[in-house]
Amino acid sequence: MFLEQGIKPENVFWKYLLGSVFIITASFIGQIPFSVAVLYKSYTSKESFPTDNAAVMNLFEPNLTLFLVMISFAFAFAGIYFVVKYLHHQTLLSITTSRQKIDWKRIGFSFLLWSFFSVVLFLIVYLQSPKNFVWNFKLVPFLILVLLGSILIPIQTSTEEYIFRGYLMQGFANLAQNRWFPFLMTSLIFGSMHIFNPEVAKMGYIIMIYYIGTGVFLGLITLMDEGIELALGFHAANNLIGALLVTSDWSVFQTHSLFKDMSEPSAGLDVILPVVVVYPILVYIFSKKYNWTNWKEKLTGKINTEAIVN
């Protein structure tokens, strides 16, 4: 079973705290190229140093910004691998799935399913208010975005899933010896990590319902499916399709997407609808396809010590 794969006497919780510090440090090291580029750009252009996140993100051409920012996630992923192997003496597979090998079909199904829903939801919003969007397509920059995004964005989303639904979920399971606590903690921490996104400043804290709700959804499908494959596919589709479809001046990334949202940001049904309607539909589809049972035990029960792999 997935959580039990990380339950070992030597896996005391302080190791997860130490491992988290190491992963964060690796991520900071990965941010050095971006920081150096910002300093060099500011110095050579004689412009004032950017003082906020929006100014930093707009300092370079969007595809270059995407590349520079995503480097840190590659370093963080390397940090995860190092910590899991040398600090916890586990394999990367053990924080990925309870199956004998990674189920790529699960990842692909989840990716395609959420890609379909993402396009449909965007079309609904677009058809309701087409005047809020402008056609932003430029062939060469868009093709570069497709190439960079297809490589770098899955690295970013996979890194986040391995940290929250893999590493930390097993860590909190070690601490609490149950399932509800790691489920709750990883969902809250994942959502809270987005609190500094510019969308929060523009829309208000109500958008945290979406971020925390997404954390709950990803935690639920991980525990019910005994692995992070479905979460990997969903997260990759969410960020990649979003980057390719639509951008705005107030989002985290400005990309060479197909459309640009010119409307004033506001939190409405687009924040609540995914959490209360769309995510339950996805859970239903996954549960039927993969024959999920024993929901209460898998989501809130105690760790099955008899199933622990030593």
Side-chain angles (χ1 to χ4, degrees), residues 121-186:
L121 290 171
F122 171 75
L123 288 175
I124 292 173
V125 173
Y126 175 80
L127 292 174
Q128 285 181 333
S129 304
K131 65 180 182 298
N132 289 338
F133 299 88
V134 296
W135 184 244
N136 192 53
F137 177 72
K138 298 175 184 176
L139 179 59
V140 174
F142 179 76
L143 291 177
I144 295 173
L145 171 63
V146 172
L147 177 62
L148 287 176
S150 298
I151 297 171
L152 298 176
I153 289 178
I155 293 175
Q156 176 238 327
T157 57
S158 296
T159 299
E160 293 184 4
E161 288 310 308
Y162 271 98
I163 290 173
F164 291 102
R165 257 63 62 178
Y167 185 67
L168 288 181
M169 188 166 273
Q170 288 188 2
F172 284 118
N174 267 283
L175 178 65
Q177 296 292 307
N178 62 39
R179 292 174 169 270
W180 68 264
F181 186 74
F183 181 19
L184 174 66
M185 290 301 295
T186 55

Side-chain angles (χ1 to χ4, degrees), residues 36-86:
V36 171
V38 170
L39 290 171
Y40 179 78
K41 176 76 172 180
S42 300
Y43 176 77
T44 57
S45 64
K46 308 294 184 182
E47 296 177 4
S48 59
F49 188 81
T51 57
D52 56 53
N53 185 69
V56 170
M57 289 299 173
N58 287 307
L59 198 58
F60 302 104
E61 191 272 337
N63 283 331
L64 179 58
T65 298
L66 179 68
F67 173 75
L68 291 171
V69 170
M70 291 300 175
I71 291 174
S72 66
F73 289 96
F75 277 76
F77 192 86
I80 296 169
Y81 176 81
F82 183 90
V83 165
V84 169
K85 183 175 182 179
Y86 295 105

Side-chain angles (χ1 to χ4, degrees), residues 206-218:
I206 189 172
I207 198 175
M208 296 303 295
I209 294 174
Y210 169 75
Y211 290 129
I212 295 175
T214 300
V216 170
F217 165 72
L218 292 170

Side-chain angles (χ1 to χ4, degrees), residues 263-288:
S263 65
E264 281 297 314
S266 62
L269 285 178
D270 55 331
V271 172
I272 307 298
L273 190 66
V275 176
V276 301
V277 177
V278 183
Y279 289 170
I281 293 174
L282 293 180
V283 170
Y284 177 79
I285 293 172
F286 288 144
S287 68
K288 293 301 180 183

Side-chain angles (χ1 to χ4, degrees), residues 88-121:
H88 299 280
H89 305 290
Q90 293 178 234
T91 63
L92 201 61
L93 179 66
S94 70
I95 65 166
T96 306
T97 184
S98 59
R99 287 165 274 276
Q100 294 298 312
K101 58 182 180 179
I102 296 174
D103 191 338
W104 293 98
K105 290 184 178 180
R106 271 176 158 83
I107 297 175
F109 177 74
S110 181
F111 181 91
L112 292 175
L113 182 64
W114 187 239
S115 295
F116 170 76
F117 270 89
S118 297
V119 172
V120 170
L121 290 171

Side-chain angles (χ1 to χ4, degrees), residues 155-273:
I155 293 175
Q156 176 238 327
T157 57
S158 296
T159 299
E160 293 184 4
E161 288 310 308
Y162 271 98
I163 290 173
F164 291 102
R165 257 63 62 178
Y167 185 67
L168 288 181
M169 188 166 273
Q170 288 188 2
F172 284 118
N174 267 283
L175 178 65
Q177 296 292 307
N178 62 39
R179 292 174 169 270
W180 68 264
F181 186 74
F183 181 19
L184 174 66
M185 290 301 295
T186 55
S187 300
L188 290 175
I189 296 172
F190 176 79
S192 299
M193 290 291 288
H194 294 81
I195 198 168
F196 297 110
N197 283 16
E199 292 91 340
V200 177
K202 290 288 185 179
M203 298 184 185
Y205 289 110
I206 189 172
I207 198 175
M208 296 303 295
I209 294 174
Y210 169 75
Y211 290 129
I212 295 175
T214 300
V216 170
F217 165 72
L218 292 170
L220 185 150
I221 63 177
T222 294
L223 290 178
M224 290 305 303
D225 201 51
E226 298 288 353
I228 68 172
E229 289 103 330
L230 297 179
L232 287 170
F234 171 92
H235 204 158
N238 185 72
N239 289 27
L240 179 59
I241 301 303
L244 296 177
L245 268 181
V246 61
T247 190
S248 66
D249 291 331
W250 43 267
S251 57
V252 176
F253 287 117
Q254 285 76 53
T255 63
H256 290 294
S257 57
L258 295 176
F259 294 90
K260 186 170 184 178
D261 185 354
M262 307 301 292
S263 65
E264 281 297 314
S266 62
L269 285 178
D270 55 331
V271 172
I272 307 298
L273 190 66

